[in-house]
Amino acid sequence: MSSEVRFTDFKSDKQPTWCPGCGDFGTMNGMMKALAETGNDPDNTFVVAGIGCSGKIGTYMHSYAIHGVHGRALPVGAGVKMANPDLEVMVAGGDGDGYSIGAGHFVHAVRRNVDMSYVVMDNRIYGLTKGQASPTSREDFETSTTPEGPKQPPVNPMALALASGATFIAQSFSSDALRHQEIVQKAIEHDGFGFVNTFSPCVTFNDVDTYDYFRDNLVDLGDEEDHDPADYDAAKDKILDASKEYQGVIYQNPDSVPYGQKHGLDTNMSEIPDGAPENATDLVREFY
Amino acid sequence: MPADFNWAIGGEAGDGIDSTGKIFAQALSRAGRHVFTSKDFASRIRGGYTAYKVRTSVDQVQSVVDRLDVLIALTQRTIDENLDELHEGSVIIYDGERTQMQDVEIPDGMVGLSVPLKRLAEDAGGAIMANVVALGAACEVGSFPIENLDSALEKRFKSKGQQLVENNMEAARAGQDYVKEEYDHDFDDYDLETTDEDYVLLNGDEAIGMGAIAAGCRYYAGYPITPATDVMQYLTGRIENWGGHVVQAEDELSAINLALGAARAGARSMTATSGPGIDLMTETFGLVATSETPLVIADVMRSGPSTGMPTKQEQGDLNMALYGGHGEIPRFVLAPTTVSECFWKTVEAFNLAEKYQTPVFLLADLAMAVTEQTFSPEAFDMDAVEIDRGFVVDENDIGEHQTEKGQFKPHELTEDGVSPRAFPGTDGGAHMSTGLEHDEMGRRTEDTDMRIEQVDKRNRKVETATEREDWSPREFGDPDSDTLVLSWGSNEGALVEAVRFLEEDGIDVRFLSVPYIFPRPDLSEEINDADDVIVVECNQTGQFADVLEHDALRRVKRVNKYNGVRFKADELADDIKETLAAEAEA
């Protein structure tokens, strides 16, 4: 079936309720195209969505999917992949989901390096609750709950990922459709945890990190002939360079061995016998 | 002389108390004797006071009692802590050559056997075997053939080489010979006779783990916590043999969500924790139920609230299991009543979870989880394990459960409330599932009619299960007695023995041990027909008594214990007598 799959097969019949112009439209389109391009179809794909505007993505896509508890999408995705390695698992969420309430899981999902992809729709604002600071909001970004700005520096997601032992770190921009799709595709193809921080502007509540801002300021690593994603030090320098924001695959460990391979997980755990498994009586004998 | 023999070894944490006690218990079990063990332990790695206690008989033993016949005391504190249980003629084995034991005080009427444990161990090959010398001494006191100890030593040390096994055997004999030569039966003799029976010796956590593998569980995610860690440790290194996997998560929030993910992928999946972990997992209960995901969640209860007394017994989480989580969450709550029932209730939990696509709580408790107890191996008959995966559809029949547009209906409205389940990878089964209210296809909805349809459908599964499954209590004592005693969880063993003690005193009691908290048997008739109703549980408020009063619309008497120590059979018999006497006076 996969050869005939079109990206629209991943579209559900539900119309998105995102605000007109929301970055999430482009982010989702790129994800669907990347899934189709990498030979997946809705019946072998499992999408896990977090909570927030971004979390609605599970409803608008057509695949096996679960929309879970705020901040816990990554453990759910890891559980799915471990139990059935044949599935293509993609986790999507927002900056609040991934870097605030779910920050603890982010660190450990990165360390665990399960073979799945994680797209964070980063708009640097809490949109669904109508405009409060997010963990990636700028220090002086004024919102209803931070009238003078959060007065604390934003989380640097890529630095957090790098410090946690990431094997794939990328950044994309929802409006740069081709590049975004290409980067998500590389995350899917990566043997391990493919992390993509996608700038997905909120047109309603964020007038600072806008389409124009990213268009004017993003530096595409594809333009820098000399950036080798396998070069850890070069990646580190770019990630820690506060003067610029990059688009592209910043770091990829070519020797990445995913969790499932390290642990010999190669069976679909949904298949079990009709009774106690063969040799189960050996377990009782151990207690003699 | 009583038919049972009560033995203990006590000292500081780090003295090898647990492993020494286990060796003795194993030796008794291998000699065809029944064993019931208990532990006094603290949440520390070294120091303090810790003890491993063994009650043994040729008949089945299901409880601890307030009596200690032989005590191996590595510290003075071990004697002080057990003064209530020691009695006239009790034998205390200690090493009088140890500086801190030179001035040891043997209470009046008891027999102190000073055995140079360390010196004899050194002669046999190393001071580390001092506890084994003490075991040899205990064998002599109990007239227990030392060959049985050899078999347990071999099991324990075989992996470390035959030499070590032989050194330990020699150390044990040195202890035995010393007592024989120096004390020549200056104490009450016991006669720990052996039988040809085969027994297995295991604890509740191990039984839960074994039950999980037997039931086809392939995925376990957990976070270490006393007293549930043994479930995870048991599964690690074993479940892999059947294609399963254990994940140590970063916290309990992650553990339950990892387990949920595996369950969504079609694996039989579980997590286990204790009260503080359940607090965190509560966040996800509603999602499990609303997305209709089969999941087994074991809560091995310990003393709460907050960090409470992490190594002490309590049955304080019943309300949490019944009501935890916001909104109204359909769920099943099973509470195994013995170590072997930990196995069977785990198997049942997996079947219920999948048949009704619902979270199932397994409420075990510390007393049962850390108790090693003997059973006939037939108590874990793997051929009797049945697997029922419920309403699973594949490519061939999925068409019957799709909309006209070919959209699968994972929350199809059915008469019994149970909807079809398609494992991911099934062609034509792609669907959304969510913690949001949803329609039959799993798509978010706020439609008022569909809301009612879905809520009713989920609760209908509980009604269906209540009708279809067997929720009977376990019955003991005199079925015609006017005195009804009710309990849940691990109190069963102590109560069964207490009922026997009461019988000997001419008091007949009917005892119902209830392993199903929700749904639970309708006991209103039994409760209303009895003159006296007493509900026994390890908590302060009487959480189970509350639900039974609610069911039967009648006040009941309560026997509660919440000092952190499990019920003892003789103590319970006295409690019941007192409760009945107080009632008669009133």
Side-chain angles (χ1 to χ4, degrees), chain A residues 8-174:
Chain A
T8 48
D9 292 336
F10 284 96
K11 257 193 178 140
S12 81
D13 55 0
K14 279 270 181 186
Q15 284 308 308
T17 56
W18 291 319
C19 304
C22 176
D24 292 351
F25 287 100
T27 307
M28 180 172 77
N29 272 340
M31 289 163 62
M32 294 190 294
K33 285 178 180 163
L35 281 166
E37 240 358 89
T38 45
N40 294 294
D41 66 62
D43 289 328
N44 82 342
T45 302
F46 202 108
V47 172
V48 184
I51 294 280
C53 291
S54 56
K56 295 180 174 181
I57 195 164
T59 308
Y60 309 142
M61 287 176 67
H62 175 62
S63 70
Y64 284 93
I66 187 161
H67 173 245
V69 176
H70 196 14
R72 321 290 170 227
L74 284 171
V76 175
V80 171
K81 184 69 184 182
M82 290 181 202
N84 186 352
D86 298 335
L87 299 174
E88 182 62 49
V89 177
M90 180 176 273
V91 179
D95 37 313
D97 204 75
Y99 311 141
S100 191
I101 190 168
H105 305 308
F106 178 67
V107 168
H108 295 279
V110 168
R111 284 178 63 212
R112 216 172 265 131
N113 200 33
V114 171
D115 189 11
M116 60 190 196
S117 48
Y118 182 38
V119 178
V120 178
M121 298 139 102
D122 182 4
N123 56 11
R124 300 179 170 174
I125 184 79
Y126 283 0
L128 199 56
T129 47
K130 304 203 189 310
Q132 297 80 33
S134 100
T136 49
S137 293
R138 294 162 191 245
E139 196 159 358
D140 58 355
F141 182 58
E142 295 167 15
T143 75
S144 60
T145 51
T146 57
E148 296 170 20
K151 298 184 181 177
Q152 50 192 311
V155 167
N156 178 339
M158 293 185 296
L160 190 56
L162 195 73
S164 307
T167 58
F168 185 98
I169 301 171
Q171 197 152 255
S172 70
F173 174 33
S174 65

Side-chain angles (χ1 to χ4, degrees), chain A residues 11-12 14 63 71 75 92 98 102 134 136-137 153 171 176 181 183 192 195 204 214 225 240-241 253 265:
Chain A
K11 257 193 178 140
S12 81
K14 279 270 181 186
S63 70
S134 100
T136 49
S137 293
Q171 197 152 255
D176 193 344
Q181 178 197 328
I183 290 164
F195 164 54
T204 308
F214 289 112
E225 297 273 285
L240 296 178
D241 176 4
N253 181 345
L265 302 182

Side-chain angles (χ1 to χ4, degrees), chain A residues 43 64 72 112 259 270 286, chain B residues 155 238 245 250 389 428:
Chain A
D43 289 328
Y64 284 93
R72 321 290 170 227
R112 216 172 265 131
Y259 181 97
S270 71
E286 273 186 57
Chain B
K155 177 170 168 133
R238 289 187 177 84
H245 187 58
E250 59 270 28
R389 305 215 63 187

Side-chain angles (χ1 to χ4, degrees), chain A residues 1 12-14 17 41-46 49 55-56 58-59 61-70 72-84 87 101 104-106 108-109 112 259 263 265 267-288, chain B residues 26 30 155 198-202 206 210 213-216 218-219 234 238 242-251 253-254 257-258 260-262 264-268 283-284 287 291 293 377 380 382 385-387 389 398 405 407 422-436 443-444:
Chain A
M1 170 167 177
S12 81
D13 55 0
K14 279 270 181 186
T17 56
D41 66 62
D43 289 328
N44 82 342
T45 302
F46 202 108
K56 295 180 174 181
T59 308
M61 287 176 67
H62 175 62
S63 70
Y64 284 93
I66 187 161
H67 173 245
V69 176
H70 196 14
R72 321 290 170 227
L74 284 171
V76 175
V80 171
K81 184 69 184 182
M82 290 181 202
N84 186 352
L87 299 174
I101 190 168
H105 305 308
F106 178 67
H108 295 279
R112 216 172 265 131
Y259 181 97
H263 291 269
L265 302 182
T267 52
N268 177 349
M269 293 182 190
S270 71
E271 290 157 14
I272 60 168
D274 295 336
E278 212 179 317
N279 304 328
T281 303
D282 292 351
L283 294 172
V284 185
R285 285 203 196 100
E286 273 186 57
F287 291 113
Y288 272 108
Chain B
Q26 195 91 55
R30 288 192 163 199
K155 177 170 168 133
D198 270 336
Y199 294 131
V200 289
L201 179 72
L202 67 163
E206 290 167 333
M210 185 163 69
I213 294 178
R218 289 289 184 271
Y219 193 83
Y234 173 82
R238 289 187 177 84
W242 288 278
H245 187 58
V246 173
V247 186
Q248 181 174 323
E250 59 270 28
D251 54 36
L253 300 165
S254 176
N257 279 284
L258 281 157
L260 167 84
R264 292 304 311 172
R268 283 197 157 192
E283 180 193 59
T284 301
L287 173 65
S291 63
T293 306
F380 306 97
M382 293 292 179
V385 171
E386 287 173 10
I387 307 286
R389 305 215 63 187
I398 201 157
K405 285 178 177 168
Q407 181 80 18
F423 297 147
T426 307
D427 284 344
H431 64 271
M432 171 75 182
S433 204
T434 170
L436 290 163
R443 302 174 313 179
R444 170 193 196 149

Side-chain angles (χ1 to χ4, degrees), chain B residues 84-342:
Chain B
D84 289 349
E85 296 184 12
L86 290 164
H87 57 83
E88 174 111 17
S90 286
V91 175
I92 299 171
I93 297 168
Y94 67 100
D95 186 346
E97 290 184 5
R98 278 184 76 185
T99 327
Q100 64 268 46
M101 294 299 280
Q102 273 166 2
D103 303 321
V104 80
E105 287 170 28
I106 302 299
D108 286 347
M110 297 178 199
V111 184
L113 304 186
S114 175
V115 181
L117 305 176
K118 183 162 173 259
R119 179 157 55 84
L120 294 175
E122 279 167 352
D123 293 346
I128 197 164
M129 297 183 295
N131 292 355
V132 175
V133 175
L135 289 182
C139 286
E140 180 61 20
V141 175
S143 305
F144 181 58
I146 201 156
E147 296 71 32
N148 297 297
L149 193 59
D150 293 345
S151 150
L153 288 168
E154 193 160 357
K155 177 170 168 133
R156 175 75 177 79
F157 296 112
K158 198 166 58 186
S159 62
K160 294 178 178 168
Q162 191 56 30
Q163 185 59 49
L164 189 65
V165 174
E166 278 166 26
N167 288 353
N168 273 284
M169 290 177 180
E170 196 187 323
R173 275 167 184 73
Q176 181 189 34
D177 293 346
Y178 189 89
V179 171
K180 204 183 286 180
E181 286 157 20
E182 298 292 319
Y183 293 101
D184 193 27
H185 300 262
D186 291 344
F187 42 82
D188 285 343
D189 283 315
Y190 292 91
D191 181 17
L192 298 184
E193 58 181 300
T194 63
T195 77
D196 292 334
E197 298 296 325
D198 270 336
Y199 294 131
V200 289
L201 179 72
L202 67 163
N203 68 34
D205 276 352
E206 290 167 333
I208 290 171
M210 185 163 69
I213 294 178
C217 174
R218 289 289 184 271
Y219 193 83
Y220 178 97
Y223 186 76
I225 185 169
T226 303
T229 314
D230 278 356
V231 178
M232 188 169 177
Q233 282 182 351
Y234 173 82
L235 288 171
T236 305
R238 289 187 177 84
I239 199 170
E240 296 84 351
N241 297 333
W242 288 278
H245 187 58
V246 173
V247 186
Q248 181 174 323
E250 59 270 28
D251 54 36
E252 287 90 347
L253 300 165
S254 176
I256 191 170
N257 279 284
L258 281 157
L260 167 84
R264 292 304 311 172
R268 283 197 157 192
S269 171
M270 81 176 289
T271 183
T273 184
S274 190
I278 286 289
D279 287 345
L280 294 182
M281 292 184 183
T282 304
E283 180 193 59
T284 301
F285 292 171
L287 173 65
V288 178
T290 307
S291 63
E292 304 199 56
T293 306
L295 194 64
V296 176
I297 302 153
D299 175 5
V300 186
M301 293 177 285
R302 67 187 208 187
S303 173
S306 190
T307 313
M309 299 195 289
T311 61
K312 305 297 175 196
Q313 161 74 351
E314 194 164 282
Q315 298 174 311
D317 299 354
L318 183 136
N319 283 338
M320 168 76 116
L322 274 176
Y323 310 118
H326 68 277
E328 297 170 311
I329 304 173
R331 68 190 85 190
F332 298 142
V333 182
L334 313 186
T337 53
T338 68
V339 169
S340 65
E341 277 298 295
C342 283

